[in-house]
């Protein structure tokens, strides 16, 4: 199941579906980085609201995505981690250290707008 | 296969998704809360991932378990892969032999109520976990 990537001005928005396989996540990682380059995007929002499970592979891939995008000089915000998913992540000892998170898409966009304002 | 048992063959990363979805569906059917169903699905995802990463193939068996007045779910992940040489080391947080985050076994133990592992080098690994409905 491919992850749709939407372009909203200088921001790319990737919306996760419930059942993402490892191959889908790897594909997303490449796709996002390529599109950040192509569109000279300043930020990426990854919306994981619909994601059923955030296991070790998924959280590692998200950290890698954020790291690659930072190397391109852009920002990543993960939005929509559900409370039970967050609970399971903590129990598993998974972290998204160094990656910005926000409650939902709206908050994520607001965070980026504020950030762009400060740097413009 | 006995009645009430669900078996999922694990041969690829797509099977990891199938196994955790079936596990979540069974957990919900048994009356687990959505939160607990997520914990169960996450544990299945990690166990299935270990099979794919270390043994290439194996299977996950899901079933309902009863004890006196309690009902719960049992998950058995088994493979005939290389096995684990040092189980105590594998049960420590952060231990890995495949360059990943680790086997995730200590995490799986925290997600579930009961945890048992049998492994012999060259013979494969079986992990049995249970979670009881609150």
């Amino acid at each position: 199941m491919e992850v749709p990537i939407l372009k909203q001005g200088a921001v790319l928005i990737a919306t996760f579906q419930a059942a993402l396989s490892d191959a889908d996540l790897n594909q997303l990682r490449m796709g996002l980085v390529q599109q950040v380059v192509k569109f000279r995007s300043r930020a990426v929002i990854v919306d994981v609201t619909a994601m059923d499970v955030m296991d070790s592979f998924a959280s590692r891939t998200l950290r890698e995505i954020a790291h690659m995008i930072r190397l391109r000089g852009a920002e990543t915000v993960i939005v929509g981690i559900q409370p039970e998913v967050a609970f399971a992540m903590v129990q598993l000892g998974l972290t998204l250290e160094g990656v910005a998170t926000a409650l939902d898409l709206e908050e994520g966009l607001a965070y980026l707008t504020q950030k762009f304002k400060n740097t413009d | 296969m006995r009645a009430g048992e669900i078996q999922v063959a694990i041969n690829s990363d797509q099977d990891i998704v199938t196994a955790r979805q079936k596990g979540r569906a069974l957990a919900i059917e048994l009356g687990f809360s959505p939160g607990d169903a997520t914990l169960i699905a996450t544990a299945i995802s990690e166990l299935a991932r270990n099979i794919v990463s270390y043994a290439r193939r194996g299977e996950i068996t899901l079933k309902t378990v009863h004890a006196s007045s309690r009902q719960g779910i049992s998950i058995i992940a088994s493979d005939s892969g290389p096995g684990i040489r040092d189980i105590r080391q594998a049960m420590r947080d952060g231990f890995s032999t495949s360059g990943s985050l680790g086997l995730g076994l200590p995490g799986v133990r925290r997600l579930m109520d009961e945890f048992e592992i049998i492994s012999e080098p060259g013979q494969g690994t079986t992990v049995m976990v249970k979670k009881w409905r609150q």
Side-chain angles (χ1 to χ4, degrees):
Chain A
M1 194 181 294
E2 222 173 301
V3 177
I5 302 173
L6 227 87
K7 185 177 169 297
Q8 170 88 27
V11 181
L12 292 178
I13 302 169
T15 307
F16 275 29
Q17 314 300 310
L20 285 185
S21 69
D22 297 1
D24 298 329
L25 282 165
N26 283 331
Q27 200 176 6
L28 171 74
R29 181 174 51 188
M30 281 323 295
L32 264 180
V33 175
Q34 279 166 1
Q35 296 216 30
V36 163
V37 171
K38 184 175 167 196
F39 297 117
R40 302 177 64 83
S41 304
R42 298 182 62 184
V44 169
I45 293 180
V46 181
D47 187 350
V48 298
T49 305
M51 216 186 177
D52 60 339
V53 156
M54 182 85 82
D55 65 2
S56 53
F57 186 85
S59 61
R60 188 175 70 214
T61 307
L62 281 179
R63 276 203 312 275
E64 285 173 5
I65 287 173
H67 192 187
M68 285 180 185
I69 286 168
R70 186 175 307 138
L71 291 173
R72 273 294 302 177
E75 176 97 9
T76 303
V77 189
I78 312 289
V79 305
I81 297 179
Q82 295 303 297
E84 57 265 29
V85 171
F87 184 70
M89 285 175 72
V90 170
Q91 294 284 305
L92 267 183
L94 303 176
T95 58
L96 288 175
E97 245 161 84
V99 184
T101 52
L103 188 62
D104 53 23
L105 189 54
E106 198 177 341
E107 295 275 328
L109 282 167
Y111 166 85
L112 288 173
T113 308
Q114 192 59 41
K115 193 143 190 162
F116 291 165
K117 220 182 273 172
N118 292 342
T119 54
D120 278 341
Chain B
M1 187 167 69
R2 285 198 315 231
E5 262 189 27
I6 301 170
Q7 260 178 7
V8 186
I10 307 294
N11 301 309
S12 73
D13 64 328
Q14 192 56 50
D15 298 328
I16 300 174
V17 176
T18 307
R20 75 185 189 218
Q21 284 179 333
K22 289 196 168 161
R24 179 192 295 273
L26 179 61
I28 295 287
E29 199 183 304
L30 291 176
F32 280 98
S33 69
D36 276 345
T38 297
L39 300 187
I40 290 162
T42 307
I44 294 170
S45 202
E46 290 297 309
L47 293 174
R49 176 169 312 290
N50 283 345
I51 292 176
V52 173
S53 306
Y54 293 91
R56 311 267 306 266
R57 66 190 41 148
E59 61 184 21
I60 300 262
T61 306
L62 309 164
K63 61 183 174 193
T64 312
V65 283
H66 304 271
S68 56
S69 60
R70 294 192 298 178
Q71 207 178 22
I73 187 170
S74 145
I75 300 150
I76 301 171
S78 61
D79 65 62
S80 315
I84 300 170
R85 196 167 296 279
D86 188 341
I87 292 178
R88 274 175 58 192
Q89 194 180 22
M91 290 310 297
R92 283 209 299 266
D93 272 313
F95 174 75
S96 167
T97 55
S98 76
S100 68
L101 270 179
L103 286 172
L105 290 177
V108 170
R109 179 154 69 176
R110 284 193 291 271
L111 291 175
M112 305 298 284
D113 295 327
E114 291 177 32
F115 183 100
E116 216 179 314
I117 181 167
I118 301 168
S119 188
E120 280 293 329
Q123 301 291 308
T125 304
T126 300
V127 181
M128 291 156 283
V129 296
K130 281 181 194 152
K131 194 162 188 77
W132 298 101
R133 210 177 66 198
Q134 296 299 311

